[in-house]
Amino acid sequence: MAITIEHLYHVYQQGSPFQSDALEDIDFTIENGDLLALIGHTGSGKSTLAQHLNGLLKPTSGRVLVDGQNINAKEADRKALRQRVGLLFQYAEYQLFEETVYKDIAFGPKNQGLTGKELDHRVRRAFARVHLPQEVLEKSPFELSGGQMRRVALAGVVAMEPEVLVLDEPIAGLDPKGRDELMEVISDLHRGGVTIVLISHNMDDVARIATRVAVLDKGRLAMLGTPREIFSRGDELEAMGLDVPQTVQLCRKLRAGGVDMPDCLTNEEVCAAILAARGRTAHA
Amino acid sequence: MLKDITLGQYYPVKSFVHDLDPRVKIILTIAFIVAVFLGSSLWAMIPITAFILLSAKAANLPVKLLLKGIKPLRIILIFTFLLNLFFSAGETVLLQVWKIRVTQEGLMLAIRFSMRLVFLVTGASLLTLTTQPVVLTDGLERLMSPLARIGFPAHELAMMMSIALRFIPTLLEEADKIMKAQMARGADFESGNLLQRARAMVPLLVPLFVSAFRRAGDLAMAMEARCYHGGEGRTRLRVLKITHKDYVACAAVAALIVICVIIG
Ligand SMILES: Nc1ncnc2c1ncn2[C@@H]1O[C@H](COP(=O)(O)OP(=O)(O)O)[C@@H](O)[C@H]1O
Ligand SMILES: [Mg+2]
């Protein structure tokens, strides 16, 4: 399922002294099967864009099309849309409210009208995908650690079995272990055929798993391309207050130190490039 | 959606009224309310309306914004108007349908009462739109401080008020976010009967309360970590000072009161 964004503008609190232009002329397509990383400085409009993808915010002007259908058209079925495009908010652990983790995960599918065996299946399948210990299922969500709560919240969205999953900074504030585990869950979902939009400040993760990267700068789409294309423009990224992955930083430092090597994204590529460079110096 | 509430929201522009001392503004607002009650005839509404329009001008506020503050009260306004219109005693009958009759006295009363309500709300909005909440509570604390000598908790009250005011936008923002998060999970806050709607609020209210308590705990801890110990011996960052502008404002309100008393 593809989401096309056409000349999207969003202005918050238009006409008041607090007016702010959050998005300006965003125009691109999220293809079926993408793992699109959305990066940008704080306040660049990432969360605002995310909320347009399932119709929680309405464009000030422009359109959002899901499979060619304008989602803000009068006759559009918003409920069906939200089932197809799942959205995990920033700090999603604060949305939990039920007595048990099981019931909380069941909230979404229940709103879709599922009951009985089917509902139970959905909940257990979603729970299994986020790799939590089995006993957590009957606990109160408020007894869990922050990282566990975050994963329960993710399960709550996954349980709706959306075709596109939008994740707003899912790893912000997690410890390294929680972060790696959650990234693993996201990769798994992507391999399972879910189209993913991942908002993240962690460029190493983006370099490792994204198929495409969109860069927002002050509400505008500044760049769009493969991770390799984007991260080869390190100076421009830095001008926008963004990092490049550590692998790319290392390559640039080595080059500055006189080692002849290209920009590499993964650890394996860096190793190979260093070995190749050493081979060349040994021959010389 | 929840952010559209304007009553009591500070409007950040520069103006004569914004610069007034908060203590003076609070007292003048009270004096204005007194003037509204002194001017009991319909004629007195002209100077009062003129005063409000002039104040809005001096405060650099669009009149539209003041009127927006009345909108949430429209039900009460209509109710007051109709109640006075149909149920006041009077002689001069203007209109009679079966047992219900509208008298001239009733009509006057209805206009007077609803206009008073409008005046009270716009007067209060003028205060809150031009004064930052922190400054407002600062002024209140200073005004109440003589009472502290007889054991009245002036500082504590003002502190509680400023914290509450400070967190209203935060909680609204949070409520907005949680609401959207639950809507993303298919929650429906808009349709259904009263009972269904009340039940639909649970996924909103539980996280909201949990986070409000968490914030309260964090704030208390942060205040203690910075040695907060109440109002005793506390100096202030903003020292309030009466200037010539305040005298001008006082004179204007005094003039309004005199006019209202004369017109009656
Ligand atoms: N509810 C809101 N009301 C007014 N302005 C907002 C609101 N939400 C976000 N903004 C503004 O819109 C801009 C983009 O915000 P956001 O989409 O949250 O950025 P990001 O997620 O990239 O940090 C910011 O300047 C922010 O201040
Ligand atoms: Mg954000």
Side-chain angles (χ1 to χ4, degrees):
Chain A
M1 178 169 107
I3 302 181
T4 304
I5 301 152
E6 282 182 351
H7 302 292
L8 178 67
Y9 285 78
H10 190 87
V11 182
Y12 279 110
Q13 315 200 11
Q14 193 160 27
S16 83
F18 309 100
Q19 173 167 340
S20 84
D21 299 344
L23 294 177
E24 288 177 58
D25 202 13
I26 304 287
D27 198 288
F28 72 105
T29 298
I30 300 161
E31 304 288 353
N32 193 18
D34 258 352
L35 197 164
L36 179 91
L38 193 55
I39 63 176
H41 198 265
T42 305
S44 59
K46 306 181 296 293
S47 300
T48 307
L49 181 56
Q51 289 168 48
H52 275 284
L53 299 180
N54 69 349
L56 280 174
L57 286 179
K58 289 206 175 47
T60 305
S61 75
R63 299 197 301 170
V64 179
L65 308 171
V66 168
D67 276 348
Q69 299 283 323
N70 181 357
I71 63 170
N72 292 301
K74 272 217 175 63
E75 66 281 3
D77 181 353
R78 238 157 259 123
K79 216 159 174 177
L81 171 74
R82 287 186 190 141
Q83 172 174 336
R84 298 181 69 191
V85 183
L87 171 60
L88 186 74
F89 269 78
Q90 216 163 340
Y91 297 107
E93 54 272 32
Y94 298 136
Q95 72 183 41
L96 304 178
F97 69 98
E98 277 285 12
E99 294 152 56
T100 67
V101 167
Y102 182 97
K103 283 189 186 171
D104 207 286
I105 298 175
F107 181 66
K110 234 181 181 159
N111 285 330
Q112 289 175 303
L114 296 185
T115 50
K117 259 222 170 71
E118 208 178 346
L119 179 65
D120 186 63
H121 265 313
R122 277 281 187 97
V123 174
R124 289 183 192 281
R125 199 156 57 214
F127 183 75
R129 297 192 100 149
V130 296
H131 307 301
L132 283 169
Q134 198 59 37
E135 68 268 17
V136 167
L137 205 50
E138 290 309 322
K139 277 193 184 170
S140 156
F142 300 105
E143 289 171 27
L144 307 179
S145 75
Q148 288 177 321
M149 283 167 93
R150 185 80 58 88
R151 272 188 276 173
V152 170
L154 176 61
V157 178
V158 168
M160 301 179 73
E161 307 205 332
E163 296 161 58
V164 178
L165 190 54
V166 184
L167 305 162
D168 195 349
E169 301 195 25
I171 58 167
L174 294 186
D175 57 49
K177 186 160 171 286
R179 209 168 65 202
D180 287 345
E181 285 171 357
L182 199 60
M183 286 316 292
E184 203 43 53
V185 172
I186 295 168
S187 288
D188 265 354
L189 286 166
H190 183 231
R191 273 193 293 274
V194 182
T195 302
I196 293 190
V197 177
L198 172 70
I199 298 178
S200 179
H201 285 293
N202 187 317
M203 299 304 158
D204 299 322
D205 288 334
V206 171
R208 212 172 57 239
I209 70 168
T211 58
R212 286 203 304 156
V213 181
V215 186
L216 284 186
D217 183 37
K218 301 192 189 85
R220 291 181 168 276
L221 183 65
M223 301 180 199
L224 179 68
T226 63
R228 206 171 294 278
E229 287 161 8
I230 300 295
F231 290 127
S232 67
R233 298 161 73 179
D235 295 331
E236 288 168 69
L237 288 174
E238 267 158 27
M240 296 175 205
L242 296 172
D243 273 343
V244 292
Q246 290 187 357
T247 46
V248 177
Q249 283 178 30
L250 180 63
C251 293
R252 294 169 94 194
K253 287 225 169 87
L254 285 170
R255 243 191 341 260
V259 183
D260 169 32
M261 61 187 294
D263 272 342
C264 309
L265 281 186
T266 63
N267 294 347
E268 290 73 24
E269 283 174 31
V270 176
C271 283
I274 292 177
L275 289 175
R278 201 174 62 174
R280 280 197 296 279
T281 18
H283 280 295
Chain B
M1 42 191 115
L2 287 166
K3 285 195 159 178
D4 297 334
I5 301 166
T6 52
L7 184 73
Q9 201 182 35
Y10 179 64
Y11 188 82
V13 289
K14 282 209 171 313
S15 84
F16 176 84
V17 182
H18 283 73
D19 287 346
L20 294 178
D21 186 295
R23 291 169 295 181
V24 173
K25 264 193 272 191
I26 293 167
I27 293 175
L28 290 185
T29 307
I30 297 170
F32 171 77
I33 293 172
V34 171
V36 168
F37 280 98
L38 285 176
S40 50
S41 74
L42 279 181
W43 287 114
M45 279 171 199
I46 296 169
I48 295 174
T49 309
F51 180 84
I52 286 183
L53 293 178
L54 279 176
S55 308
K57 186 95 185 111
N60 211 350
L61 295 175
V63 177
K64 211 172 73 191
L65 202 68
L66 275 180
L67 296 180
K68 233 169 145 186
I70 305 173
K71 226 171 135 194
L73 287 178
R74 61 189 184 277
I75 309 270
I76 301 179
L77 262 176
I78 294 169
F79 192 70
T80 315
F81 187 84
L82 294 180
L83 208 67
N84 280 298
L85 188 61
F86 293 129
F87 298 102
S88 10
E91 309 282 282
T92 339
V93 178
L94 293 178
L95 192 79
Q96 179 147 19
V97 180
W98 186 50
K99 281 204 170 162
I100 301 167
R101 55 183 192 172
V102 176
T103 63
Q104 192 178 348
E105 289 84 349
L107 182 63
M108 295 296 184
L109 211 62
I111 294 177
R112 226 162 60 209
F113 268 87
S114 13
M115 283 310 280
R116 259 187 203 169
L117 253 177
V118 171
F119 289 146
L120 294 189
V121 173
T122 39
S125 311
L126 261 174
L127 175 65
T128 53
L129 284 166
T130 61
T131 321
Q132 274 177 354
V134 222
V135 180
L136 192 63
T137 44
D138 227 27
L140 269 179
E141 182 181 350
R142 294 300 300 274
L143 283 175
M144 293 189 300
S145 61
L147 294 174
R149 248 173 264 150
I150 56 166
F152 184 79
H155 170 78
E156 285 74 11
L157 240 128
M159 180 57 92
M160 266 155 51
M161 262 180 69
S162 50
I163 290 176
L165 286 171
R166 157 68 186 76
F167 277 97
I168 286 173
T170 312
L171 285 180
L172 281 179
E173 213 167 284
E174 187 114 342
D176 195 51
K177 206 187 113 176
I178 295 170
M179 211 159 155
K180 279 188 190 154
Q182 308 298 26
M183 275 158 72
R185 291 207 278 167
D188 185 355
F189 293 102
E190 275 135 28
S191 55
N193 61 32
L194 209 60
L195 191 70
Q196 283 167 328
R197 276 200 212 195
R199 280 182 58 97
M201 294 307 274
V202 173
L204 169 64
L205 293 180
V206 171
L208 197 60
F209 272 95
V210 169
S211 100
F213 281 117
R214 183 173 43 81
R215 274 182 206 284
D218 288 354
L219 181 67
M221 193 98 81
M223 283 168 77
E224 247 166 50
R226 289 193 273 169
C227 307
Y228 176 75
H229 61 91
E232 218 167 305
R234 204 172 148 84
T235 55
R236 27 194 85 245
L237 179 62
R238 243 183 314 258
V239 181
L240 301 177
K241 231 172 107 189
I242 308 276
T243 65
H244 66 277
K245 288 181 180 174
D246 296 300
Y247 294 118
V248 174
C250 288
V253 175
L256 179 71
I257 293 182
V258 170
I259 293 173
C260 284
V261 169
I262 292 172
I263 297 178

